[in-house]
């Protein structure tokens, strides 16, 4: 059974940093493209970015609002996906979900609140 | 970026009703269109990919159609567990944009 478990969310001040993790199991993580999607409170879904598998180059792509501030990485030895978030803004407040490449499987999400 | 426009933004329906939600892309996306269901406080659940292919385990009362710019999600006979918010998403090009959602409520 595919499982994705996010962690690392919490309250952070504007300008601060936070690193989210997504622990994966039940599939061959190293072969998978992985993505992050977020949802601000009471709002719709927003694609954040993705990382390809290393065999496909391991490259990343980001949505414009987070480009240059967020970095997606992966540790295939730990079956874990990361989202490093720097220079956080109040508008980054959201539940952050990790998903598999085809969006067929989602984690439960982790809440990030950016507030002074 | 490709804009995805869903309509209606909300609807009220009764158990047993046939419900149709539409999604329009601002440019052609072939059949690179997915539908998701989300219930309050839960993660989205994938229903349909490639515009009309049902995800494993999803009941056949859900169906999708369309290609190019115009797509529909149909629920053939609405049941209590189907009251939720539904989102379309294009994955033809980055960023993979979502529609604004359609909230299906009980009449």
């Amino acid at each position: 059974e595919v499982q994705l478990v996010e962690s690392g969310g919490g309250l952070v001040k504007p300008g601060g940093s936070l690193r989210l993790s997504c622990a994966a199991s039940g599939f061959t993580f190293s072969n998978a493209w992985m993505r992050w999607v977020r949802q601000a409170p009471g709002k719709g879904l927003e694609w954040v970015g993705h990382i390809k598998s290393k065999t496909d180059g391991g490259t990343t792509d980001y949505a414009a609002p987070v480009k240059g501030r967020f970095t997606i990485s992966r540790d295939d030895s730990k079956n874990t996906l990361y989202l490093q978030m720097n220079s956080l803004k109040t508008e980054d407040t959201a539940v952050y979900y990790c998903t598999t490449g085809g969006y067929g499987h989602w984690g439960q999400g982790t809440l990030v609140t950016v507030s002074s | 970026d490709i804009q995805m426009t869903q309509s209606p933004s909300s609807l009220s329906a009764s158990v047993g009703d046939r419900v149709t939600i539409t999604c329009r892309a601002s440019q052609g996306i072939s059949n690179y269109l997915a539908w998701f269901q989300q219930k309050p406080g839960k993660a989205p659940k994938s229903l349909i990919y490639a515009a009309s292919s049902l995800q494993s385990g999803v009941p056949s009362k859900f169906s999708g159609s369309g290609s190019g710019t115009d797509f529909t999600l149909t629920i053939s006979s609405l049941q209590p567990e189907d009251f939720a918010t539904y989102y379309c998403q294009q994955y033809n090009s980055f960023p993979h944009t979502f529609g604004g959602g359609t909230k299906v409520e009980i009449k």
Side-chain angles (χ1 to χ4, degrees):
Chain A
E1 178 195 3
V2 172
Q3 281 203 321
L4 300 170
V5 180
E6 300 96 336
S7 61
L11 175 63
V12 60
K13 289 181 167 50
S17 298
L18 209 56
R19 189 178 82 157
L20 306 184
S21 300
C22 171
S25 60
F27 63 103
T28 306
F29 180 78
S30 59
N31 290 346
W33 292 31
M34 296 295 295
R35 313 188 196 268
W36 288 97
V37 174
R38 69 182 181 182
Q39 186 170 37
K43 302 297 184 183
L45 300 168
E46 180 184 24
W47 183 83
V48 172
H50 78 265
I51 185 166
K52 297 180 181 179
S53 64
K54 284 195 168 53
T55 54
D56 287 329
T59 55
T60 54
D61 203 354
Y62 301 94
V66 308
K67 198 166 188 176
R69 299 188 298 122
F70 289 13
T71 302
I72 299 173
S73 61
R74 62 192 301 156
D75 185 338
D76 291 344
S77 69
K78 295 182 178 179
N79 287 352
T80 302
L81 175 72
Y82 300 102
L83 179 64
Q84 177 67 44
M85 303 184 293
N86 298 331
S87 303
L88 282 161
K89 305 176 181 180
T90 55
E91 52 263 42
D92 295 319
T93 293
V95 174
Y96 285 75
Y97 297 100
C98 65
T99 85
T100 50
Y103 302 96
H105 301 279
W106 296 63
Q108 84 287 355
T110 188
L111 176 62
V112 172
T113 303
V114 184
S115 174
S116 55
Chain B
D1 297 0
I2 297 175
Q3 307 303 316
M4 305 300 293
T5 303
Q6 278 183 245
S7 60
S9 56
S10 65
L11 65 89
S12 294
S14 300
V15 172
D17 282 355
R18 180 183 180 89
V19 167
T20 298
I21 298 168
T22 65
C23 181
R24 174 164 288 176
S26 61
Q27 63 190 76
I29 59 170
S30 185
N31 69 334
Y32 294 104
L33 191 284
W35 289 98
F36 300 89
Q37 176 195 65
Q38 188 179 34
K39 296 181 180 179
K42 300 293 187 183
K45 174 186 175 183
S46 177
L47 299 176
I48 286 170
Y49 63 97
S52 60
S53 296
L54 216 56
Q55 278 285 3
S56 175
V58 173
S60 58
K61 63 181 171 181
F62 292 98
S63 63
S65 65
S67 184
T69 60
D70 294 310
F71 303 86
T72 61
L73 172 71
T74 299
I75 309 171
S76 60
S77 177
L78 204 62
Q79 297 302 306
E81 63 269 20
D82 302 328
F83 291 95
T85 300
Y86 294 84
Y87 295 93
C88 63
Q89 182 210 30
Q90 68 80 21
Y91 53 98
N92 178 75
S93 62
F94 295 115
H96 290 177
T97 42
F98 291 87
T102 297
K103 187 173 184 179
V104 177
E105 299 176 301
I106 301 172
K107 182 183 284 185

